[in-house]
Amino acid sequence: ETNKPVEPAQPTAGMQALKSSRFLQVKNESINYPEGIRSPNPALNLGNKAKGRQYDKDFLLQFQEVFKEKPSVDWDMKLKETVGDGTESARPQSAR
Amino acid sequence: EQKSTAATSDGEIRTVFDDPENFNVKHPLMNMWTLWFTKPPSGKGDNWNELLKEVISFDSVEEFWGIYNNITPTSDLALKADYHLFKKGVRPEWEDTQNKHGGKWAFQFKDKKAVNIDALWLHVMLAAIGENLEDEDDNEVMGVVVNVRKGFYRIGLWTRTVGKALPSEQNKGRTFEQGKEVLNKIGRRFKSALQLKENELVEFSGHTDSAHAGSTRAKAKFAV
């Protein structure tokens, strides 16, 4: 049976959470982050004019190991069309 | 009716740190950003426009990491490839009308083996999306770029002006001195994101200078 229609890939729970979650009001909502997680640098977001969307590097780096979901189910295909494997042409010629 | 019941019972805020599969809030960025990729030319007369590809746009911290964690690292790219991270609506080319009067800060890392280009590019992207490169009213940062070349990696930061008021903004906004001071401040923050030493100079040049010089080796207007 090679002609079976391929089931469309289902978005993962993480993909769906990203899509359905709402934007935090960084300036007006205080968040109790789990222990060990730093808040965004309050100094960056406390000014009268601040919109509360400035984040320091250390705050942002905390997400690196936490959120690894692909942006969409067709991401691999999309990536192939744009970035490719990044190495297809103009490959440095091996000197050895 | 069921829906509203669900909504009220779900009033608690869950971040990605509480539950990466079932969070209900995400962290907004100040701007929507678009990631672009320049494919290395195949050598068969490709049109540069076709080599410049829009990859994806995003406006939350969580989305950024989903992309970053699932895309080819700079260190694995072929020669002549670039990543560009620009504010949405700005094409990463000096021909874009929004870049016409602009310029860029740039630094070349000539010892490719000695630098961790992935970490440097990541830190520059984080400084851009976290809005650490400029102050809110500066309105200068257009985007950041990394170039993979034979003899070097180069990281650049594109600005809207070269310090001068734009033709459409005569008599308002900043004087040339103030404009230059804003660019220098941005240059110093860029330099600090790249963790360069004091004696490693980051140089600024206008795009039209680069275009007229016929190469990217335009004369630097200033350096920090």
Side-chain angles (χ1 to χ4, degrees):
Chain A
E1 290 268 354
T2 49
N3 289 347
K4 253 191 194 162
V6 180
E7 289 286 320
Q10 293 302 309
T12 63
M15 281 178 200
Q16 274 169 333
L18 179 61
K19 205 168 174 186
S20 63
S21 57
R22 67 166 174 89
F23 283 128
L24 197 60
Q25 308 286 318
V26 181
K27 201 179 169 182
N28 303 322
E29 286 179 299
S30 63
I31 299 295
N32 293 316
Y33 289 99
E35 213 176 320
I37 300 295
R38 292 167 38 131
S39 302
N41 181 354
L44 287 175
N45 292 306
L46 282 185
N48 273 337
K49 278 160 58 192
K51 290 199 188 100
R53 295 174 184 180
Q54 279 180 286
Y55 308 102
D56 60 284
K57 183 178 84 179
D58 292 335
F59 174 73
L60 293 173
L61 282 170
Q62 299 175 115
F63 293 76
Q64 184 164 15
E65 297 302 318
V66 173
F67 194 74
K68 300 189 163 188
E69 293 291 339
K70 291 174 184 171
S72 56
V73 286
D74 62 353
W75 177 247
D76 291 336
M77 211 171 65
K78 195 176 168 184
L79 205 58
K80 213 167 179 175
E81 284 165 9
T82 49
V83 180
D85 62 0
T87 60
E88 339 171 302
S89 47
R91 186 96 186 123
Q93 315 269 270
S94 171
R96 277 148 296 230
Chain B
E1 213 172 333
Q2 266 187 336
K3 208 173 173 187
S4 65
T5 318
T8 42
S9 68
D10 201 33
E12 123 197 58
I13 294 178
R14 288 185 309 275
T15 68
V16 71
F17 298 110
D18 300 301
D19 186 346
E21 301 212 311
N22 194 26
F23 54 99
N24 60 10
V25 292
K26 55 191 167 191
H27 293 75
L29 299 175
M30 190 104 79
N31 288 288
M32 172 84 86
W33 295 84
T34 303
L35 182 69
W36 301 72
F37 177 71
T38 314
K39 253 184 149 89
S42 65
K44 293 172 197 144
D46 344 58
N47 182 340
W48 195 73
N49 264 320
E50 288 160 21
L51 297 174
L52 181 64
K53 308 262 187 185
E54 194 174 331
V55 183
I56 193 169
S57 298
F58 60 91
D59 61 357
S60 72
V61 175
E62 288 79 357
E63 258 176 306
F64 168 80
W65 284 109
I67 297 161
Y68 183 81
N69 281 324
N70 289 287
I71 202 164
T72 315
T74 306
S75 58
D76 283 354
L77 295 178
L79 298 180
K80 299 186 182 169
D82 312 309
Y83 277 129
H84 318 252
L85 183 67
F86 271 61
K87 287 182 182 167
K88 191 180 166 75
V90 184
R91 280 182 73 86
E93 339 178 73
W94 56 261
E95 295 92 335
D96 186 297
T97 51
Q98 296 165 91
N99 288 321
K100 208 163 111 190
H101 303 283
K104 67 165 188 282
W105 286 105
F107 188 82
Q108 281 190 16
F109 297 88
K110 289 181 179 130
D111 190 350
K112 287 173 79 177
K113 292 209 173 86
V115 299
N116 182 347
I117 192 63
D118 297 326
L120 291 169
W121 173 236
L122 173 60
H123 292 166
V124 166
M125 285 195 292
L126 294 180
I129 66 171
E131 302 292 336
N132 299 150
L133 293 170
E134 65 180 348
D135 292 322
E136 217 159 302
D137 295 330
D138 292 345
N139 188 21
E140 278 288 352
V141 173
M142 306 304 270
V144 290
V145 53
V146 61
N147 312 120
V148 180
R149 297 296 179 269
K150 191 167 180 219
F152 57 88
Y153 292 115
R154 179 172 48 221
I155 296 185
L157 184 172
W158 286 35
T159 58
R160 193 175 58 93
T161 77
V162 294
K164 290 184 213 138
L166 301 193
S168 57
E169 299 170 348
Q170 290 297 343
N171 306 323
K172 8 180 194 173
R174 301 184 269 266
T175 66
F176 183 51
E177 278 313 304
Q178 290 167 327
K180 201 177 144 178
E181 195 32 60
V182 168
L183 290 183
N184 277 328
K185 174 189 69 184
I186 291 168
R188 287 189 295 270
R189 292 184 185 176
F190 176 59
K191 180 174 182 165
S192 123
L194 289 174
Q195 294 172 318
L196 294 171
K197 299 192 194 87
E198 197 48 48
N199 64 352
E200 296 175 301
L201 290 186
V202 174
E203 293 185 337
F204 186 86
S205 59
H207 295 316
T208 44
D209 301 339
S210 312
H212 292 159
S215 84
T216 46
R217 288 190 55 80
K219 206 171 145 191
K221 280 205 163 64
F222 28 97
V224 293

